[in-house]
Amino acid sequence: MMRSLWAKIIGQPPAFSLEARIFNAICFASAITLFLTAFSNLLLGIRQSAILMAVIFVIAVFCYYFSRFKMKLNSCITVYMIAINILLIVNYKYNSGINGPTLLIFILSFFLTISIVPKKQYWFWITFNLITVFAVLVTEYLYPGLIINTYADTQSRVIDIGYTYISNVFFIFLVTVAVRKSYYTEQKLVEEKAAELEGLNDTKNKLFSILAHDLRSPLSSIQNYLEIISDYKLDDAERVSIKRDLLDSTQSTQQMLSNLLFWSKAQMEGLNVNLVDLDVKETLQSTFAIHKTIAAEKGILLSDQLKNSCFIIADVDMLQLIVRNLINNAIKFTAPGGEIIVTSDILGSYCRIIVKDNGVGIPKDQQQALFSLKGSSTFGTKNEKGVGLGLVLCKEFTELQGGKIAFESVLGVGTTFYISFSRSPLKPENNIPEKRKLVKKA
């Protein structure tokens, strides 16, 4: 709780820079210290110093307010440094000169200078501080009568200097803690940014790989098929075989491009997720109609066993894309003569869609990276080529809709994918899709 309160006092990154947080901490701590110092000086009978500390207290509060809440950091630093140095000169004169606590406060002022001033003003304020201290010491040496001894007795002097020392130590402690915390916070932010940039770089490399190879290869195949058809006389059987291969290659390339475009848009622009009440069976009819033909061409049986009572809250386009990718994946890794079953069941407040195949299965060493771009794409049972984006999209889009995705796979036996979405209160007899809510841009 104390950390949270302190973060609110000095400002939180990234809204406040490291310099701003340090300056806010200094102003806040100095305001407290000056208030207590003014009060103690008043008790010791040092009225001039008490008044001076009160003036500096007001300036510290003023600078803190305009820096913390009005974002006027540079202006506040300038005002603070000018006011501190002028008032310290006055305090030196009216608070016993070298016999008083002002030199201790000058040291504190130097510490503040090297902590908060902008880089361009750094040497100016350091030089100004040193010249000021040298000037007041020379002035006292040459004109000792100018300095007023305000202490009633030795006890008052010892108490004042001792209190100033303790206040300075406390103040330096607070500022140092703030600096260290700010440093660690900045370090953590830098590490997070570095990790994010590394991820973006991996993504960029993956995209270049896709564009340079995975998309060029099928397009080259299509070109070769078309050149054969144009340049050579083929019998009907050869022509039909080449056309079938050409169709397969075109469909594969189209799916790759679709996934690539969807994923690129999601990464660069974000997506609007429109959640509505859906009848799963009705929503996926067109998806099944297309993929039954594709599966049949490979000699695979695609079986629709979705229940009529499965109603969910989801985005129509995203749901169709997810199921389309899962079925395509199943077709890709199922050998001719195999079977793919799509069914559904109810689990509490969720409706689960299940895509099960009796294909080649997924090796254990590839399962951990299955939903990331770190996973490598593999060839299907008829050398179908993918780019590894399909399952990445499935995971991202399922989670954007508040759903869950999981899988089970046994090598040589088959794979089963599960996607779960929140159940809709829509009843079968009142199956009228209606817009429920709009999820903000992802």
Side-chain angles (χ1 to χ4, degrees):
M1 185 174 179
M2 289 298 295
R3 288 183 179 180
S4 176
L5 178 61
W6 183 245
K8 289 182 180 179
I9 290 173
I10 67 173
Q12 295 179 328
F16 290 85
S17 65
L18 176 61
E19 292 80 4
R21 297 198 301 275
I22 293 172
F23 180 72
N24 293 340
I26 287 172
C27 288
F28 184 81
S30 63
I32 295 174
T33 305
L34 288 165
F35 177 81
L36 295 174
T37 303
F39 184 72
S40 66
N41 285 342
L42 194 62
L43 292 178
L44 292 171
I46 312 174
R47 293 179 59 85
Q48 295 92 336
S49 179
I51 294 171
L52 190 62
M53 293 300 107
V55 172
I56 303 176
F57 165 77
V58 172
I59 293 173
V61 171
F62 171 87
C63 290
Y64 171 77
Y65 172 77
F66 277 91
S67 172
R68 173 65 180 82
F69 299 103
K70 300 297 183 180
M71 306 294 183
K72 302 291 185 181
L73 176 63
N74 290 335
S75 300
C76 289
I77 289 176
T78 302
V79 170
Y80 188 87
M81 295 306 301
I82 292 174
I84 285 292
N85 282 282
I86 291 175
L87 293 173
L88 282 177
I89 294 172
V90 177
N91 188 66
Y92 187 88
K93 172 178 171 59
Y94 290 103
N95 196 9
S96 306
I98 198 171
N99 295 310
T102 308
L103 283 182
L104 289 176
I105 304 176
F106 265 116
I107 294 173
L108 180 61
S109 172
F110 183 84
F111 172 73
L112 299 182
T113 300
I114 62 176
S115 299
I116 63 174
V117 295
K119 187 176 181 180
K120 293 181 179 180
Q121 304 176 22
Y122 194 77
W123 290 108
F124 171 80
W125 287 112
I126 290 177
T127 304
F128 186 84
N129 181 279
L130 295 174
I131 290 174
T132 301
V133 173
F134 181 76
V136 295
L137 289 174
V138 170
T139 300
E140 182 176 12
Y141 176 77
L142 296 176
Y143 306 100
L146 291 176
I147 305 301
I148 301 173
N149 188 354
T150 55
Y151 293 114
D153 49 41
T154 303
Q155 181 182 7
S156 297
R157 178 174 177 270
V158 170
I159 292 173
D160 188 29
I161 293 177
Y163 174 78
T164 301
Y165 171 79
I166 293 172
S167 298
N168 285 1
V169 169
F170 173 71
F171 185 83
I172 291 172
F173 169 77
L174 286 179
V175 174
T176 304
V177 168
V179 170
R180 287 173 64 89
K181 285 185 176 180
S182 298
Y183 168 75
Y184 290 132
T185 301
E186 290 289 329
Q187 186 180 40
K188 186 177 179 181
L189 288 173
V190 168
E191 290 173 354
E192 290 175 353
K193 288 290 184 184
E196 184 180 346
L197 287 173
E198 185 178 355
L200 290 173
N201 190 56
D202 290 342
T203 300
K204 179 201 72 176
N205 292 338
K206 181 70 176 180
L207 285 174
F208 279 141
S209 172
I210 292 168
L211 295 173
H213 180 267
D214 291 349
L215 283 178
R216 185 173 61 183
S217 294
L219 289 174
S220 297
S221 298
I222 293 171
Q223 181 181 351
N224 291 336
Y225 287 137
L226 293 174
E227 287 175 352
I228 291 172
I229 292 173
S230 300
D231 297 341
Y232 297 94
K233 292 182 179 181
L234 304 173
D235 57 38
D236 292 340
E238 290 175 326
R239 190 174 293 275
V240 169
S241 176
I242 288 179
K243 284 182 177 180
R244 185 181 297 112
D245 291 340
L246 181 58
L247 178 60
D248 290 341
S249 184
T250 304
Q251 288 172 340
S252 175
T253 305
Q254 184 182 31
Q255 182 65 30
M256 280 193 260
L257 283 171
S258 177
N259 284 340
L260 180 59
L261 292 172
F262 263 102
W263 183 83
S264 299
K265 183 178 180 182
Q267 295 300 310
M268 288 189 261
E269 300 177 5
L271 291 172
N272 289 322
V273 186
N274 297 299
L275 298 183
V276 298
D277 294 311
L278 296 177
D279 179 344
V280 171
K281 191 172 183 68
E282 182 179 307
T283 303
L284 297 178
Q285 276 182 353
S286 59
T287 302
F288 277 112
I290 295 171
H291 286 81
K292 278 186 177 180
T293 304
I294 297 173
E297 289 176 354
K298 192 176 176 181
I300 297 171
L301 175 63
L302 176 58
S303 177
D304 175 8
Q305 297 181 17
L306 289 169
K307 296 179 180 178
N308 290 318
S309 59
C310 191
F311 297 89
I312 63 172
I313 301 171
D315 181 289
V316 176
D317 295 328
M318 286 189 176
L319 177 64
Q320 290 176 343
L321 183 140
I322 292 167
V323 175
R324 187 165 65 243
N325 272 290
L326 292 180
I327 294 176
N328 271 331
N329 223 46
I331 294 172
K332 176 181 174 182
F333 293 105
T334 300
E339 183 180 14
I340 300 168
I341 300 173
V342 182
T343 184
S344 60
D345 59 16
I346 304 297
L347 290 176
S349 60
Y350 285 90
C351 176
R352 189 170 64 169
I353 302 170
I354 304 164
V355 180
K356 181 179 181 180
D357 66 60
N358 57 359
V360 297
I362 304 168
K364 286 188 177 181
D365 61 344
Q366 295 181 15
Q367 292 184 11
Q368 190 173 0
L370 196 64
F371 293 117
S372 72
L373 283 174
K374 293 180 181 179
S376 58
S377 59
T378 55
F379 289 91
T381 54
K382 290 188 68 177
N383 292 321
E384 303 99 325
K385 186 69 172 73
V387 297
L389 280 176
L391 292 177
V392 175
L393 285 172
C394 289
K395 179 176 172 61
E396 288 187 7
F397 286 3
T398 300
E399 292 177 349
L400 280 174
Q401 299 171 84
K404 302 174 184 178
I405 185 168
F407 72 94
E408 296 174 349
S409 186
V410 178
L411 196 62
V413 176
T415 304
T416 304
F417 279 91
Y418 305 92
I419 49 173
S420 304
F421 296 94
S422 298
R423 291 176 62 189
S424 167
L426 203 62
K427 296 180 180 179
E429 62 270 18
N430 187 32
N431 182 16
I432 305 173
E434 58 183 46
K435 193 170 182 179
R436 294 179 60 81
K437 64 178 178 178
L438 177 67
V439 177
K440 291 183 179 179
K441 201 171 189 181

